Amino acid sequence: MELSMAADELKRVVNRLRRAQGQIAGIIRMIEEGRDCEEVVTQLAAVSRALDRAGFAVIATGLQHCLADEGAGPADREQMRARLEKLFLSLA
């Protein structure tokens, strides 16, 4: 499945990933500075949620394109459904 997203959707996902990248850099600094474990875990949870949201946005776009493809036969739709289900489960 190709990653073909509208420019605005793609921009939102990239921005979310860049924010997560910054959070990860901050977490690394926190660990290197010996910061409180609870603070580090809180930030790890936040970045994990941000990555999940980015992943779900990509999958949702794929699902939207899949559903829009009315010309696909039943076997193609079933294969796409199975692939999207596998992707959703990989983020669970």
Side-chain angles (χ1 to χ4, degrees):
M1 178 180 352
E2 283 185 38
L3 180 62
S4 57
M5 302 172 74
D8 60 328
E9 295 168 334
L10 184 58
K11 183 177 180 181
R12 281 193 298 264
V13 170
V14 169
N15 286 341
R16 188 176 303 251
L17 291 172
R18 286 200 174 117
R19 255 191 320 274
Q21 185 179 31
Q23 285 179 293
I24 291 170
I27 293 167
I28 291 169
R29 278 191 306 278
M30 290 172 74
I31 292 170
E32 290 173 342
E33 294 169 357
R35 298 275 294 274
D36 180 64
C37 178
E38 189 174 338
E39 292 177 30
V40 172
V41 171
T42 299
Q43 290 304 311
L44 284 170
V47 77
S48 178
R49 285 190 304 274
L51 292 173
D52 286 346
R53 286 188 201 116
F56 285 131
V58 170
I59 292 170
T61 300
L63 180 59
Q64 184 179 21
H65 289 292
C66 174
L67 293 175
D69 188 10
E70 297 290 328
D76 292 334
R77 283 193 298 268
E78 179 58 28
Q79 182 182 23
M80 182 61 70
R81 188 206 60 76
R83 290 171 66 191
L84 288 168
E85 181 179 340
K86 183 178 178 182
L87 287 171
F88 271 114
L89 291 174
S90 72
L91 290 173

